[in-house]
Amino acid sequence: MHALEQKILSEGIVLSDQVLKVDSFLNHQIDPVMMQQIGQEFARLFKDAGITKIITIEASGIAPAVMAGLELGVPVIFARKYQSLTLKDDLYRSKVFSFTKQIESTIAISKKHITATDKVLVIDDFLANGQAALGLADLIHQADASVVGIGIVIEKSFQPGRDLLLEKGYRVESLARVQSLANGTVEFVRD
Amino acid sequence: MHALEQKILSEGIVLSDQVLKVDSFLNHQIDPVMMQQIGQEFARLFKDAGITKIITIEASGIAPAVMAGLELGVPVIFARKYQSLTLKDDLYRSKVFSFTKQIESTIAISKKHITATDKVLVIDDFLANGQAALGLADLIHQADASVVGIGIVIEKSFQPGRDLLLEKGYRVESLARVQSLANGTVEFVRD
C-alpha cells in the first residue's frame, strides 16, 4: 500500500534493527485519514471472503479494525488483555507471549459475541513473531468459527511471524512489508 | 443522541444500580456504524471550537475518538495506561483512580505529540466519577495546551463526574445521559 509505505518512510523512526516506531500515526497518535485508507484497503482485499466479523486486540489494533469494519459492514471485537469487572461472562481465553515486552499475557473475548457460523478476519497493527495473531486465531477456533484471513498493517518480514501463519494455512495480507531495518533505514519487500 | 439512546435501550445490560454494560457495541464488540454516527455528532457539537487534536484513553475511547478525528480532520492521541518498550520518550504522566476496578494507574502521553498551541478535545466512552477525564485534562495542562471540551459517549448522570468537570470550568458534551439504572431499567435525563 503506497500511501502507508510513504507514511512509514516519512514518519517512522528506526529504533534498532528490530524495532520500528510508528507512534505518530498508528501506535500512540493516530492519523484517522490514514486509518480510513487502511480500512478501505483491507475491505478491498477481503471483500469476497464473506466476512461476518473482525477480531483484533487492544489497543493499537482497534483503529484500523474499526475502519475495516465500517467498510465491510461488520462488527469488530477487540480482545482484552485482562479481565475487567464488566467482562464477567464466559470467555474464550488464550495465552500470548510478547517478545517485545518479554511477558506472557492472557487475551480473552466474550463467548456471546462469536458463533460457529462466523467467518472472521483477524486484524492487527504489527506482525513480528506472530504470537498475537495465533492467539486471536486460537480464540476463533475455540468458538468453532472460521479464520478467513489475517490482515496486518505493518509486517516485519525479517521475523518469523508471516511464515508461521502461512504454514498453518492462513491467508495473510500485510499492507506494508518491511524487509529490513538495518543501518537505520526502512527497506520494503519488493516482489 | 437518539440513535445512541435506542442502542443502549435495545442492547445495554443493567448489571446493577451502578453498572451499565454496553459491550455489544462500545466496550468489547464495537459497532462501527454507531461509532461513525457518534464521531459525526461530536464533530457537529465542536465544529466551531477550533480543535487541533483529540485525546482519549485506551482502549474503549479509541473507536469514538478516531471517528470524531476523521470528521474533524485532526489527529487522535490515545493515552496509554502503562509504559511500553517503544514509548520511551519524555512523557506527561498523571495518576487516575478507577472506582470500578479499585486501582490507581498511571496514564501517559508522549510530549512530542502535543504543544502549547493545541486546542484539545477530550473524548471518553463513559463519564462516572470523572477521574479519567481529569487525568487526561491534567496531561493537556502539563503541555500548556487548552482543553476546549470533554466529549462523552455515555454519562452516568447520577454519579459525580459531570458536576466535578463543570465546576472546573470544562465544557462537557455527553451524547447519552443516564439518569438512573434503578430496577434494572435505563432512564435518560430529559431537559
Side-chain angles (χ1 to χ4, degrees), chain A residues 19 21 23 27-30 32 36 53 58-60 62 66-67 70 74 76-78 80 82 85-86 89 100-101 109-110 112-113, chain B residues 13 19 21 23-24 27-30 32 36 53 58-60 66-67 70 74 76-78 80 82 85-86 89 100-101 109-110 112-113:
Chain A
V19 181
K21 185 169 169 173
D23 75 347
N27 293 134
H28 180 38
Q29 181 167 264
I30 298 170
Q36 186 182 45
K53 198 149 282 194
E58 62 178 351
S60 299
I62 294 174
V66 168
M67 288 300 182
L70 185 66
V74 300
V76 174
I77 300 173
F78 64 91
R80 288 202 172 265
Y82 53 91
L85 189 72
T86 54
D89 321 75
T100 314
K101 296 178 191 160
I109 62 171
S110 179
K112 72 177 177 185
H113 295 312
Chain B
I13 297 168
V19 180
K21 185 168 168 172
D23 75 348
S24 74
N27 293 135
H28 181 38
Q29 182 167 262
I30 298 171
Q36 186 182 47
K53 198 149 282 192
E58 61 178 352
S60 299
V66 168
M67 289 299 183
L70 185 66
V74 300
V76 174
I77 299 173
F78 63 92
R80 288 201 172 266
Y82 53 91
L85 189 73
T86 54
D89 323 75
T100 314
K101 297 178 190 161
I109 62 171
S110 179
K112 72 178 179 185
H113 295 312

Short mmCIF file of all heavy atoms in Angstrom, two decimals, chain A residues 19 21 23 27-30 32 36 53 58-60 62 66-67 70 74 76-78 80 82 85-86 89 100-101 109-110 112-113, chain B residues 13 19 21 23-24 27-30 32 36 53 58-60 66-67 70 74 76-78 80 82 85-86 89 100-101 109-110 112-113:
data_model
loop_
_atom_site.label_atom_id
_atom_site.label_comp_id
_atom_site.label_asym_id
_atom_site.label_seq_id
_atom_site.Cartn_x
_atom_site.Cartn_y
_atom_site.Cartn_z
N VAL A 19 13.31 -2.81 15.77
CA VAL A 19 12.17 -2.01 16.24
C VAL A 19 11.92 -0.78 15.36
O VAL A 19 12.80 0.08 15.20
CB VAL A 19 12.37 -1.56 17.71
CG1 VAL A 19 11.16 -0.74 18.18
CG2 VAL A 19 12.57 -2.76 18.62
N LYS A 21 9.37 2.38 15.10
CA LYS A 21 8.41 3.12 15.90
C LYS A 21 7.52 3.95 14.98
O LYS A 21 8.01 4.75 14.19
CB LYS A 21 9.18 4.03 16.85
CG LYS A 21 8.35 4.78 17.84
CD LYS A 21 9.29 5.40 18.86
CE LYS A 21 8.58 6.39 19.74
NZ LYS A 21 9.45 6.85 20.82
N ASP A 23 4.68 5.72 16.22
CA ASP A 23 3.72 6.24 17.20
C ASP A 23 3.20 7.62 16.83
O ASP A 23 2.44 8.20 17.58
CB ASP A 23 4.30 6.19 18.61
CG ASP A 23 5.33 7.27 18.87
OD1 ASP A 23 5.78 7.90 17.90
OD2 ASP A 23 5.67 7.50 20.04
N ASN A 27 0.44 3.85 16.65
CA ASN A 27 0.52 3.20 17.96
C ASN A 27 0.25 4.09 19.16
O ASN A 27 0.14 3.60 20.28
CB ASN A 27 1.91 2.59 18.18
CG ASN A 27 2.19 1.43 17.26
OD1 ASN A 27 3.25 1.36 16.68
ND2 ASN A 27 1.23 0.54 17.13
N HIS A 28 0.21 5.39 18.93
CA HIS A 28 0.01 6.27 20.09
C HIS A 28 -0.80 7.48 19.62
O HIS A 28 -1.93 7.68 20.01
CB HIS A 28 1.36 6.67 20.68
CG HIS A 28 1.28 7.56 21.87
ND1 HIS A 28 0.30 7.43 22.83
CD2 HIS A 28 2.06 8.60 22.28
CE1 HIS A 28 0.47 8.36 23.76
NE2 HIS A 28 1.51 9.08 23.45
N GLN A 29 -0.20 8.28 18.71
CA GLN A 29 -1.03 9.21 17.96
C GLN A 29 -1.55 8.45 16.74
O GLN A 29 -0.84 7.59 16.19
CB GLN A 29 -0.22 10.43 17.53
CG GLN A 29 -1.04 11.43 16.74
CD GLN A 29 -0.35 12.77 16.59
OE1 GLN A 29 -0.57 13.69 17.34
NE2 GLN A 29 0.50 12.88 15.58
N ILE A 30 -2.80 8.72 16.38
CA ILE A 30 -3.44 8.02 15.26
C ILE A 30 -3.82 9.03 14.20
O ILE A 30 -4.40 10.08 14.52
CB ILE A 30 -4.72 7.29 15.75
CG1 ILE A 30 -4.37 6.22 16.80
CG2 ILE A 30 -5.46 6.65 14.58
CD1 ILE A 30 -5.61 5.64 17.48
N PRO A 32 -6.40 9.56 11.58
CA PRO A 32 -7.68 8.94 11.20
C PRO A 32 -7.84 8.75 9.69
O PRO A 32 -8.46 7.78 9.26
CB PRO A 32 -8.73 9.91 11.75
CG PRO A 32 -8.04 10.66 12.84
CD PRO A 32 -6.62 10.81 12.35
N GLN A 36 -8.54 5.30 7.77
CA GLN A 36 -9.64 5.09 6.84
C GLN A 36 -9.13 4.44 5.55
O GLN A 36 -9.74 3.50 5.03
CB GLN A 36 -10.32 6.42 6.52
CG GLN A 36 -11.57 6.26 5.67
CD GLN A 36 -12.19 7.60 5.33
OE1 GLN A 36 -11.51 8.55 4.96
NE2 GLN A 36 -13.50 7.69 5.48
N LYS A 53 -17.31 -10.94 10.77
CA LYS A 53 -16.81 -10.30 12.00
C LYS A 53 -15.31 -10.07 11.89
O LYS A 53 -14.61 -10.83 11.24
CB LYS A 53 -17.12 -11.21 13.19
CG LYS A 53 -17.07 -10.54 14.52
CD LYS A 53 -18.04 -11.17 15.52
CE LYS A 53 -19.49 -10.72 15.31
NZ LYS A 53 -20.40 -11.03 16.40
N GLU A 58 -6.66 -5.12 21.81
CA GLU A 58 -6.39 -3.78 22.29
C GLU A 58 -4.89 -3.55 22.39
O GLU A 58 -4.16 -4.51 22.63
CB GLU A 58 -7.07 -3.55 23.65
CG GLU A 58 -6.57 -4.47 24.75
CD GLU A 58 -7.23 -4.17 26.10
OE1 GLU A 58 -7.93 -3.16 26.25
OE2 GLU A 58 -7.03 -4.97 27.00
N ALA A 59 -4.41 -2.31 22.21
CA ALA A 59 -5.15 -1.13 21.88
C ALA A 59 -4.90 -0.70 20.43
O ALA A 59 -5.79 -0.19 19.79
CB ALA A 59 -4.73 0.02 22.81
N SER A 60 -3.69 -0.95 19.90
CA SER A 60 -3.34 -0.37 18.61
C SER A 60 -4.06 -1.00 17.43
O SER A 60 -4.09 -0.43 16.35
CB SER A 60 -1.83 -0.45 18.38
OG SER A 60 -1.14 0.26 19.37
N ILE A 62 -7.26 -1.46 17.30
CA ILE A 62 -8.66 -1.03 17.27
C ILE A 62 -8.95 -0.07 16.12
O ILE A 62 -9.94 -0.25 15.39
CB ILE A 62 -9.07 -0.41 18.63
CG1 ILE A 62 -9.03 -1.49 19.73
CG2 ILE A 62 -10.46 0.22 18.54
CD1 ILE A 62 -9.28 -0.97 21.14
N VAL A 66 -11.62 -1.02 13.25
CA VAL A 66 -12.93 -0.36 13.20
C VAL A 66 -13.17 0.26 11.82
O VAL A 66 -14.28 0.20 11.28
CB VAL A 66 -13.06 0.70 14.32
CG1 VAL A 66 -14.29 1.58 14.11
CG2 VAL A 66 -13.16 0.00 15.68
N MET A 67 -12.12 0.81 11.23
CA MET A 67 -12.28 1.37 9.88
C MET A 67 -12.56 0.27 8.86
O MET A 67 -13.37 0.44 7.95
CB MET A 67 -11.03 2.16 9.49
CG MET A 67 -10.87 3.47 10.24
SD MET A 67 -12.26 4.62 9.97
CE MET A 67 -11.68 6.04 10.93
N LEU A 70 -16.15 -0.76 9.33
CA LEU A 70 -17.07 0.21 8.73
C LEU A 70 -17.21 -0.04 7.24
O LEU A 70 -18.32 -0.04 6.69
CB LEU A 70 -16.55 1.64 8.99
CG LEU A 70 -17.45 2.78 8.55
CD1 LEU A 70 -18.74 2.82 9.36
CD2 LEU A 70 -16.71 4.12 8.68
N VAL A 74 -19.35 -4.91 9.07
CA VAL A 74 -19.40 -5.98 10.09
C VAL A 74 -18.93 -5.45 11.44
O VAL A 74 -18.16 -4.48 11.49
CB VAL A 74 -18.53 -7.20 9.68
CG1 VAL A 74 -19.01 -7.79 8.36
CG2 VAL A 74 -17.05 -6.82 9.60
N VAL A 76 -16.85 -5.35 15.04
CA VAL A 76 -15.44 -5.57 15.41
C VAL A 76 -15.42 -5.96 16.89
O VAL A 76 -16.09 -5.34 17.70
CB VAL A 76 -14.64 -4.26 15.22
CG1 VAL A 76 -13.21 -4.42 15.74
CG2 VAL A 76 -14.65 -3.84 13.75
N ILE A 77 -14.65 -6.98 17.21
CA ILE A 77 -14.42 -7.31 18.62
C ILE A 77 -12.96 -7.05 18.93
O ILE A 77 -12.09 -7.45 18.16
CB ILE A 77 -14.70 -8.80 18.92
CG1 ILE A 77 -16.15 -9.16 18.59
CG2 ILE A 77 -14.39 -9.13 20.37
CD1 ILE A 77 -16.43 -10.64 18.71
N PHE A 78 -12.70 -6.35 20.03
CA PHE A 78 -11.29 -6.30 20.44
C PHE A 78 -11.09 -7.19 21.65
O PHE A 78 -11.81 -7.10 22.63
CB PHE A 78 -10.77 -4.88 20.65
CG PHE A 78 -11.39 -4.07 21.76
CD1 PHE A 78 -10.86 -4.08 23.04
CD2 PHE A 78 -12.50 -3.26 21.51
CE1 PHE A 78 -11.42 -3.31 24.04
CE2 PHE A 78 -13.06 -2.49 22.51
CZ PHE A 78 -12.52 -2.52 23.78
N ARG A 80 -9.47 -8.45 24.94
CA ARG A 80 -8.89 -7.72 26.06
C ARG A 80 -7.72 -8.51 26.62
O ARG A 80 -7.69 -9.73 26.54
CB ARG A 80 -9.95 -7.50 27.14
CG ARG A 80 -10.99 -6.47 26.74
CD ARG A 80 -11.65 -5.91 27.98
NE ARG A 80 -12.52 -4.79 27.68
CZ ARG A 80 -12.15 -3.51 27.77
NH1 ARG A 80 -10.91 -3.21 28.11
NH2 ARG A 80 -13.01 -2.54 27.51
N TYR A 82 -6.80 -8.33 29.77
CA TYR A 82 -7.04 -8.66 31.18
C TYR A 82 -8.54 -8.67 31.38
O TYR A 82 -9.31 -8.16 30.55
CB TYR A 82 -6.40 -7.63 32.11
CG TYR A 82 -6.82 -6.24 31.77
CD1 TYR A 82 -7.94 -5.66 32.37
CD2 TYR A 82 -6.15 -5.50 30.80
CE1 TYR A 82 -8.36 -4.40 32.02
CE2 TYR A 82 -6.56 -4.24 30.44
CZ TYR A 82 -7.65 -3.69 31.06
OH TYR A 82 -8.07 -2.44 30.70
N LEU A 85 -14.06 -5.80 35.43
CA LEU A 85 -15.26 -6.08 36.23
C LEU A 85 -16.50 -6.31 35.38
O LEU A 85 -17.34 -7.14 35.70
CB LEU A 85 -15.50 -4.91 37.18
CG LEU A 85 -16.58 -5.11 38.25
CD1 LEU A 85 -16.10 -6.08 39.31
CD2 LEU A 85 -16.95 -3.79 38.90
N THR A 86 -16.61 -5.56 34.28
CA THR A 86 -17.82 -5.67 33.47
C THR A 86 -17.67 -6.69 32.34
O THR A 86 -18.46 -6.71 31.44
CB THR A 86 -18.20 -4.29 32.88
OG1 THR A 86 -17.07 -3.78 32.19
CG2 THR A 86 -18.61 -3.34 33.97
N ASP A 89 -18.64 -12.51 31.73
CA ASP A 89 -19.26 -13.67 31.09
C ASP A 89 -18.26 -14.77 30.88
O ASP A 89 -17.07 -14.61 31.07
CB ASP A 89 -19.71 -13.31 29.67
CG ASP A 89 -20.29 -11.96 29.59
OD1 ASP A 89 -19.52 -10.99 29.62
OD2 ASP A 89 -21.51 -11.89 29.51
N THR A 100 8.51 -8.54 22.49
CA THR A 100 8.89 -7.15 22.73
C THR A 100 8.96 -6.85 24.23
O THR A 100 9.91 -6.26 24.72
CB THR A 100 7.87 -6.18 22.08
OG1 THR A 100 7.59 -6.64 20.77
CG2 THR A 100 8.39 -4.77 22.04
N LYS A 101 7.89 -7.27 24.92
CA LYS A 101 7.82 -6.94 26.35
C LYS A 101 8.34 -8.06 27.23
O LYS A 101 8.47 -7.90 28.44
CB LYS A 101 6.37 -6.62 26.72
CG LYS A 101 5.83 -5.39 26.02
CD LYS A 101 4.37 -5.14 26.40
CE LYS A 101 3.75 -4.09 25.51
NZ LYS A 101 2.28 -4.14 25.50
N ILE A 109 -11.96 -13.06 24.78
CA ILE A 109 -13.16 -12.46 24.20
C ILE A 109 -14.38 -13.16 24.80
O ILE A 109 -14.31 -14.32 25.20
CB ILE A 109 -13.21 -12.55 22.65
CG1 ILE A 109 -13.23 -14.00 22.18
CG2 ILE A 109 -12.06 -11.79 22.03
CD1 ILE A 109 -13.49 -14.14 20.68
N SER A 110 -15.45 -12.42 24.83
CA SER A 110 -16.69 -12.93 25.38
C SER A 110 -17.30 -13.97 24.42
O SER A 110 -17.37 -13.73 23.22
CB SER A 110 -17.64 -11.76 25.56
OG SER A 110 -18.86 -12.19 26.07
N LYS A 112 -20.25 -14.80 23.91
CA LYS A 112 -21.53 -14.48 23.28
C LYS A 112 -21.39 -13.69 21.98
O LYS A 112 -22.34 -13.59 21.22
CB LYS A 112 -22.44 -13.73 24.26
CG LYS A 112 -22.02 -12.31 24.53
CD LYS A 112 -23.03 -11.63 25.46
CE LYS A 112 -22.54 -10.24 25.80
NZ LYS A 112 -23.39 -9.56 26.77
N HIS A 113 -20.20 -13.13 21.74
CA HIS A 113 -20.05 -12.30 20.54
C HIS A 113 -19.53 -13.06 19.34
O HIS A 113 -19.28 -12.46 18.29
CB HIS A 113 -19.14 -11.11 20.84
CG HIS A 113 -19.71 -10.16 21.84
ND1 HIS A 113 -21.00 -9.70 21.76
CD2 HIS A 113 -19.19 -9.60 22.96
CE1 HIS A 113 -21.23 -8.89 22.78
NE2 HIS A 113 -20.15 -8.81 23.53
N ILE B 13 -27.07 -3.74 29.03
CA ILE B 13 -27.49 -4.65 30.10
C ILE B 13 -27.21 -3.96 31.43
O ILE B 13 -26.08 -3.55 31.72
CB ILE B 13 -26.71 -5.99 30.01
CG1 ILE B 13 -27.03 -6.70 28.70
CG2 ILE B 13 -27.05 -6.88 31.20
CD1 ILE B 13 -26.11 -7.86 28.39
N VAL B 19 -23.94 -0.11 37.36
CA VAL B 19 -23.17 -0.60 36.21
C VAL B 19 -24.06 -0.91 35.00
O VAL B 19 -24.98 -1.74 35.07
CB VAL B 19 -22.36 -1.86 36.60
CG1 VAL B 19 -21.55 -2.36 35.39
CG2 VAL B 19 -21.42 -1.57 37.77
N LYS B 21 -23.74 -2.25 31.18
CA LYS B 21 -22.81 -2.96 30.31
C LYS B 21 -23.22 -2.73 28.86
O LYS B 21 -24.36 -3.03 28.48
CB LYS B 21 -22.88 -4.44 30.65
CG LYS B 21 -21.91 -5.31 29.93
CD LYS B 21 -21.90 -6.68 30.60
CE LYS B 21 -21.18 -7.71 29.80
NZ LYS B 21 -21.04 -8.96 30.57
N ASP B 23 -21.20 -3.84 26.15
CA ASP B 23 -20.09 -4.50 25.46
C ASP B 23 -20.49 -5.14 24.14
O ASP B 23 -19.67 -5.77 23.49
CB ASP B 23 -19.38 -5.49 26.39
CG ASP B 23 -20.16 -6.75 26.60
OD1 ASP B 23 -21.35 -6.78 26.23
OD2 ASP B 23 -19.58 -7.73 27.12
N SER B 24 -21.74 -4.93 23.71
CA SER B 24 -22.11 -5.42 22.38
C SER B 24 -21.85 -4.39 21.29
O SER B 24 -21.85 -4.73 20.10
CB SER B 24 -23.59 -5.80 22.36
OG SER B 24 -24.39 -4.64 22.36
N ASN B 27 -17.74 -1.35 24.30
CA ASN B 27 -16.62 -1.67 25.19
C ASN B 27 -15.86 -2.95 24.86
O ASN B 27 -14.82 -3.21 25.43
CB ASN B 27 -17.11 -1.80 26.64
CG ASN B 27 -17.56 -0.49 27.22
OD1 ASN B 27 -18.60 -0.44 27.86
ND2 ASN B 27 -16.81 0.56 26.98
N HIS B 28 -16.43 -3.76 24.00
CA HIS B 28 -15.75 -5.03 23.71
C HIS B 28 -16.01 -5.39 22.24
O HIS B 28 -15.11 -5.41 21.42
CB HIS B 28 -16.25 -6.12 24.66
CG HIS B 28 -15.61 -7.45 24.47
ND1 HIS B 28 -14.29 -7.59 24.16
CD2 HIS B 28 -16.11 -8.71 24.54
CE1 HIS B 28 -14.00 -8.88 24.04
NE2 HIS B 28 -15.09 -9.58 24.26
N GLN B 29 -17.28 -5.63 21.91
CA GLN B 29 -17.65 -5.60 20.50
C GLN B 29 -17.96 -4.15 20.16
O GLN B 29 -18.53 -3.43 20.99
CB GLN B 29 -18.85 -6.50 20.22
CG GLN B 29 -19.23 -6.54 18.76
CD GLN B 29 -20.21 -7.66 18.41
OE1 GLN B 29 -19.84 -8.71 17.95
NE2 GLN B 29 -21.49 -7.40 18.65
N ILE B 30 -17.59 -3.73 18.95
CA ILE B 30 -17.79 -2.35 18.53
C ILE B 30 -18.66 -2.34 17.29
O ILE B 30 -18.42 -3.11 16.34
CB ILE B 30 -16.43 -1.69 18.19
CG1 ILE B 30 -15.52 -1.64 19.42
CG2 ILE B 30 -16.63 -0.29 17.63
CD1 ILE B 30 -14.10 -1.20 19.10
N PRO B 32 -19.20 -0.35 14.20
CA PRO B 32 -18.51 0.75 13.50
C PRO B 32 -19.47 1.83 12.99
O PRO B 32 -19.11 3.01 12.97
CB PRO B 32 -17.81 0.05 12.34
CG PRO B 32 -17.66 -1.38 12.76
CD PRO B 32 -18.89 -1.66 13.58
N GLN B 36 -19.33 5.74 13.87
CA GLN B 36 -19.29 6.81 12.88
C GLN B 36 -20.33 7.89 13.20
O GLN B 36 -20.04 9.09 13.13
CB GLN B 36 -19.54 6.24 11.49
CG GLN B 36 -19.38 7.25 10.37
CD GLN B 36 -19.68 6.66 9.01
OE1 GLN B 36 -20.67 5.97 8.81
NE2 GLN B 36 -18.79 6.91 8.05
N LYS B 53 -6.62 18.79 18.06
CA LYS B 53 -6.22 17.44 18.46
C LYS B 53 -7.28 16.84 19.39
O LYS B 53 -7.94 17.55 20.14
CB LYS B 53 -4.88 17.51 19.19
CG LYS B 53 -4.16 16.20 19.29
CD LYS B 53 -2.63 16.40 19.28
CE LYS B 53 -2.08 16.66 17.90
NZ LYS B 53 -0.61 16.57 17.80
N GLU B 58 -6.80 4.52 26.17
CA GLU B 58 -7.05 3.15 25.72
C GLU B 58 -7.96 2.44 26.72
O GLU B 58 -7.91 2.76 27.89
CB GLU B 58 -5.73 2.39 25.55
CG GLU B 58 -4.92 2.26 26.82
CD GLU B 58 -3.63 1.45 26.61
OE1 GLU B 58 -3.41 0.87 25.56
OE2 GLU B 58 -2.85 1.40 27.56
N ALA B 59 -8.77 1.50 26.27
CA ALA B 59 -8.94 1.04 24.93
C ALA B 59 -10.30 1.48 24.37
O ALA B 59 -10.42 1.75 23.17
CB ALA B 59 -8.89 -0.50 24.89
N SER B 60 -11.32 1.61 25.21
CA SER B 60 -12.68 1.82 24.69
C SER B 60 -12.90 3.23 24.13
O SER B 60 -13.86 3.46 23.41
CB SER B 60 -13.72 1.54 25.77
OG SER B 60 -13.63 0.20 26.19
N VAL B 66 -11.42 8.15 17.21
CA VAL B 66 -10.89 8.12 15.84
C VAL B 66 -11.96 8.57 14.84
O VAL B 66 -11.67 9.29 13.88
CB VAL B 66 -10.34 6.73 15.50
CG1 VAL B 66 -10.05 6.59 14.01
CG2 VAL B 66 -9.06 6.47 16.29
N MET B 67 -13.21 8.17 15.08
CA MET B 67 -14.28 8.60 14.18
C MET B 67 -14.51 10.11 14.29
O MET B 67 -14.74 10.78 13.27
CB MET B 67 -15.57 7.85 14.49
CG MET B 67 -15.53 6.38 14.10
SD MET B 67 -15.28 6.14 12.31
CE MET B 67 -15.38 4.34 12.22
N LEU B 70 -11.67 11.75 12.42
CA LEU B 70 -11.87 11.69 10.97
C LEU B 70 -12.80 12.80 10.51
O LEU B 70 -12.55 13.48 9.51
CB LEU B 70 -12.45 10.32 10.60
CG LEU B 70 -12.61 10.03 9.11
CD1 LEU B 70 -11.25 9.95 8.42
CD2 LEU B 70 -13.37 8.71 8.90
N VAL B 74 -8.60 16.02 12.43
CA VAL B 74 -7.48 16.23 13.37
C VAL B 74 -6.95 14.88 13.86
O VAL B 74 -7.67 13.89 13.86
CB VAL B 74 -7.91 17.08 14.60
CG1 VAL B 74 -8.40 18.46 14.15
CG2 VAL B 74 -8.97 16.37 15.44
N VAL B 76 -5.58 11.99 16.54
CA VAL B 76 -6.08 11.48 17.82
C VAL B 76 -4.89 10.89 18.57
O VAL B 76 -4.08 10.17 17.99
CB VAL B 76 -7.12 10.37 17.57
CG1 VAL B 76 -7.55 9.71 18.89
CG2 VAL B 76 -8.33 10.93 16.83
N ILE B 77 -4.78 11.20 19.85
CA ILE B 77 -3.77 10.54 20.69
C ILE B 77 -4.51 9.68 21.70
O ILE B 77 -5.47 10.14 22.31
CB ILE B 77 -2.91 11.55 21.46
CG1 ILE B 77 -2.16 12.47 20.50
CG2 ILE B 77 -1.92 10.84 22.38
CD1 ILE B 77 -1.43 13.60 21.22
N PHE B 78 -4.09 8.43 21.86
CA PHE B 78 -4.65 7.70 22.99
C PHE B 78 -3.59 7.59 24.08
O PHE B 78 -2.47 7.15 23.84
CB PHE B 78 -5.25 6.36 22.60
CG PHE B 78 -4.33 5.31 22.04
CD1 PHE B 78 -3.71 4.38 22.87
CD2 PHE B 78 -4.11 5.23 20.68
CE1 PHE B 78 -2.89 3.40 22.34
CE2 PHE B 78 -3.28 4.25 20.14
CZ PHE B 78 -2.67 3.32 20.97
N ARG B 80 -1.75 6.02 27.11
CA ARG B 80 -1.50 4.64 27.48
C ARG B 80 -1.54 4.51 29.00
O ARG B 80 -1.23 5.44 29.72
CB ARG B 80 -0.15 4.18 26.95
CG ARG B 80 -0.16 4.00 25.43
CD ARG B 80 0.97 3.08 25.03
NE ARG B 80 0.92 2.71 23.64
CZ ARG B 80 0.33 1.60 23.18
NH1 ARG B 80 -0.29 0.77 24.01
NH2 ARG B 80 0.36 1.30 21.90
N TYR B 82 0.15 2.24 30.63
CA TYR B 82 1.43 1.74 31.14
C TYR B 82 2.48 2.10 30.10
O TYR B 82 2.15 2.47 28.96
CB TYR B 82 1.39 0.22 31.34
CG TYR B 82 0.94 -0.49 30.11
CD1 TYR B 82 1.85 -0.93 29.16
CD2 TYR B 82 -0.42 -0.67 29.85
CE1 TYR B 82 1.43 -1.55 28.00
CE2 TYR B 82 -0.85 -1.29 28.69
CZ TYR B 82 0.08 -1.73 27.77
OH TYR B 82 -0.35 -2.32 26.62
N LEU B 85 7.79 -0.67 25.74
CA LEU B 85 9.18 -0.57 25.32
C LEU B 85 9.40 0.50 24.26
O LEU B 85 10.42 1.18 24.25
CB LEU B 85 9.62 -1.93 24.76
CG LEU B 85 11.11 -2.07 24.47
CD1 LEU B 85 11.89 -2.18 25.76
CD2 LEU B 85 11.37 -3.30 23.61
N THR B 86 8.44 0.65 23.36
CA THR B 86 8.64 1.60 22.27
C THR B 86 8.06 2.99 22.59
O THR B 86 7.90 3.80 21.71
CB THR B 86 8.02 1.08 20.96
OG1 THR B 86 6.67 0.76 21.21
CG2 THR B 86 8.77 -0.13 20.45
N ASP B 89 10.07 7.98 25.10
CA ASP B 89 10.33 9.42 25.11
C ASP B 89 9.91 10.04 26.42
O ASP B 89 9.28 9.43 27.25
CB ASP B 89 9.48 10.14 24.06
CG ASP B 89 9.32 9.34 22.83
OD1 ASP B 89 8.54 8.37 22.86
OD2 ASP B 89 9.96 9.69 21.85
N THR B 100 -14.26 1.70 39.51
CA THR B 100 -14.78 0.41 39.03
C THR B 100 -13.82 -0.71 39.41
O THR B 100 -14.23 -1.75 39.93
CB THR B 100 -14.94 0.43 37.50
OG1 THR B 100 -15.59 1.63 37.12
CG2 THR B 100 -15.75 -0.77 37.03
N LYS B 101 -12.54 -0.47 39.12
CA LYS B 101 -11.56 -1.54 39.34
C LYS B 101 -10.85 -1.40 40.67
O LYS B 101 -10.09 -2.29 41.06
CB LYS B 101 -10.53 -1.53 38.21
CG LYS B 101 -11.13 -1.82 36.84
CD LYS B 101 -10.07 -1.75 35.74
CE LYS B 101 -10.70 -1.80 34.37
NZ LYS B 101 -9.80 -1.30 33.34
N ILE B 109 1.11 10.33 27.98
CA ILE B 109 1.22 10.63 26.55
C ILE B 109 2.61 11.18 26.27
O ILE B 109 3.25 11.77 27.14
CB ILE B 109 0.15 11.62 26.04
CG1 ILE B 109 0.27 12.97 26.73
CG2 ILE B 109 -1.25 11.05 26.21
CD1 ILE B 109 -0.61 14.04 26.10
N SER B 110 3.04 10.96 25.05
CA SER B 110 4.36 11.43 24.63
C SER B 110 4.34 12.95 24.48
O SER B 110 3.44 13.52 23.87
CB SER B 110 4.68 10.75 23.30
OG SER B 110 5.91 11.17 22.83
N LYS B 112 6.02 14.83 22.64
CA LYS B 112 6.22 15.38 21.30
C LYS B 112 4.93 15.52 20.49
O LYS B 112 4.91 16.20 19.48
CB LYS B 112 7.24 14.55 20.53
CG LYS B 112 6.74 13.20 20.10
CD LYS B 112 7.80 12.46 19.28
CE LYS B 112 7.29 11.09 18.88
NZ LYS B 112 8.30 10.29 18.21
N HIS B 113 3.86 14.85 20.95
CA HIS B 113 2.63 14.89 20.16
C HIS B 113 1.66 16.00 20.58
O HIS B 113 0.55 16.10 20.05
CB HIS B 113 1.90 13.54 20.24
CG HIS B 113 2.68 12.43 19.60
ND1 HIS B 113 3.24 12.56 18.35
CD2 HIS B 113 3.00 11.19 20.03
CE1 HIS B 113 3.87 11.44 18.05
NE2 HIS B 113 3.76 10.60 19.04
#
